[in-house]
Structures are given as structure tokens and as C-alpha cells.
């Protein structure tokens, strides 16, 4: 069964992203305002406000949670740190 990651965004509602094929989350640079998600068939940028590395940690924690929950729990929600926001999805984010 496929699992999904739900990331709350300010401008787009919740972004629901399929987990699989080695989903990796990182920031290109502290202060860049971006967090990147990569997998075998996905490259997606998130325009963010706040500490990018803390947002990366939150997404990574949700990925670990998704891996540790039963297959009946299909969606794992990202809990963003205080004063951090994901503004929108960016499909041409800087790499």
C-alpha cells in the first residue's frame, strides 16, 4: 500500500506527496528560503519562511513516522516548528 506525506502550506492548502522511491528532503542553503524534495520520479521545491533546516528535520521526522506506522495509516502529517511556514510549492526551485 502506498503512503503519503501531508505538508501544510499557506497558499496551496495541504500538499500531499507520495512516499516511495527514496524520498529525500534537504535545503540547498541556509537562508535560501527553499526546501527541496527529491525521489526517483519527483523534484519539488517548497518556498518556506523560518529556519529551513528545522523544516527539513520536521519533514524527515514525518517520513520516519510514516515508515514506523501500520500500513493502514496511509497519510503522515508534517508538524512544522513554531514560526515556520511552507508558503507554496515551487516546481522550478533552485537546486
Amino acid at each position: 500500500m502506498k503512503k503519503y506525506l501531508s505538508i501544510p502550506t499557506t497558499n496551496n492548502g495541504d500538499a500531499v506527496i507520495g512516499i516511495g522511491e527514496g524520498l529525500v528532503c534537504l535545503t540547498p542553503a541556509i537562508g535560501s528560503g527553499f526546501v527541496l524534495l527529491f525521489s526517483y520520479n519527483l523534484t519539488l521545491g517548497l518556498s518556506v519562511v523560518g529556519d529551513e533546516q528545522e523544516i527539513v528535520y520536521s519533514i524527515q521526522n514525518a517520513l520516519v513516522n510514516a515508515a514506523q506506522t501500520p500500513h493502514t495509516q496511509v497519510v503522515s502529517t508534517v508538524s512544522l516548528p513554531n514560526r515556520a511556514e511552507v508558503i507554496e510549492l515551487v516546481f522550478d526551485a533552485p537546486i
Side-chain angles (χ1 to χ4, degrees):
M1 176 178 281
K2 191 163 186 153
K3 290 193 172 194
Y4 298 88
L5 191 65
S6 176
I7 303 172
T9 69
T10 304
N11 292 341
N12 300 113
D14 289 354
V16 179
I17 300 164
I19 298 172
E21 275 105 38
L23 187 64
V24 176
C25 179
L26 58 94
T27 183
I30 300 299
S32 68
F34 286 96
V35 169
L36 304 174
L37 294 169
F38 294 100
S39 72
Y40 176 72
N41 59 0
L42 172 75
T43 300
L44 179 65
L46 304 174
S47 175
V48 301
V49 173
D51 186 340
E52 294 93 347
Q53 191 61 50
E54 289 297 322
I55 294 170
V56 168
Y57 291 149
S58 295
I59 293 171
Q60 290 172 341
N61 286 339
L63 289 169
V64 169
N65 183 53
Q68 293 175 341
T69 57
H71 70 280
T72 55
Q73 186 175 342
V74 178
V75 178
S76 181
T77 303
V78 174
S79 178
L80 295 172
N82 289 336
R83 297 183 305 261
E85 292 181 26
V86 174
I87 305 299
E88 63 186 342
L89 307 179
V90 180
F91 292 97
D92 59 348
I95 296 178

